[in-house]
Amino acid sequence: MRPLEYRDFLIDVLKNTPDVGMVDVIESGPHPYALTVTVAGREQRWQVIGQLAEGAKHDTPTAPVHGTPAAFQAAPVGGPADAWLAGVIGAAESPETKTIDVWSAREGSQSTGVTVNFHNGERAFLRLF
């Protein structure tokens, strides 16, 4: 799923998530495809970055491929922001989502973010900034 489409998907999912007060698009600035979300009274800013499937081109859309939704683990609102977001994404049970990787759960990681792998070979990187 391309970054703009995935950002729109996230906005819909987040607006229907408990503890989320506000979700908005960040239209200008150095981070394209970004959004801001207020979770349990705290603001988070996420940028969506995409990677095309092997052999795909930017001028033609990649066809969605559906499969079993990604396994996920719910995380508390007060825990790591990327673990919480990964739980929200997983709970949406999108048939396009193959796997979800939480960066802060990686051994020795200093980064906060999520990699979403899609069944069609594309990936979305969600980076907290």
Side-chain angles (χ1 to χ4, degrees):
M1 195 177 297
R2 305 292 166 98
L4 179 60
E5 294 171 297
Y6 200 64
R7 182 188 66 186
D8 292 344
F9 167 80
L10 286 174
I11 290 169
D12 288 340
V13 169
L14 288 165
K15 284 183 176 181
N16 295 307
T17 300
D19 297 314
V20 172
M22 187 226 22
V23 181
D24 203 6
V25 171
I26 300 172
E27 292 290 351
S28 61
H31 302 99
Y33 311 113
L35 59 96
T36 183
V37 56
T38 304
V39 182
R42 292 186 306 221
E43 183 179 271
Q44 298 176 2
R45 291 175 173 243
W46 295 95
Q47 180 183 16
V48 180
I49 303 165
Q51 180 179 356
L52 296 176
E54 184 77 27
K57 304 289 183 200
H58 284 285
D59 58 352
T60 57
T62 304
V65 176
H66 295 143
T68 303
F72 72 98
Q73 186 170 10
V77 172
D82 54 352
W84 173 82
L85 183 59
V88 170
I89 292 167
E93 296 184 326
S94 170
E96 292 185 56
T97 304
K98 182 177 181 181
T99 61
I100 304 168
D101 177 37
V102 179
W103 300 357
S104 67
R106 298 174 182 164
E107 188 172 328
S109 177
Q110 301 295 317
S111 301
T112 303
V114 177
T115 301
V116 179
N117 295 288
F118 300 101
H119 286 286
N120 67 3
E122 291 184 345
R123 296 195 287 177
F125 306 96
L126 310 171
R127 184 180 69 85
L128 184 69
F129 69 94

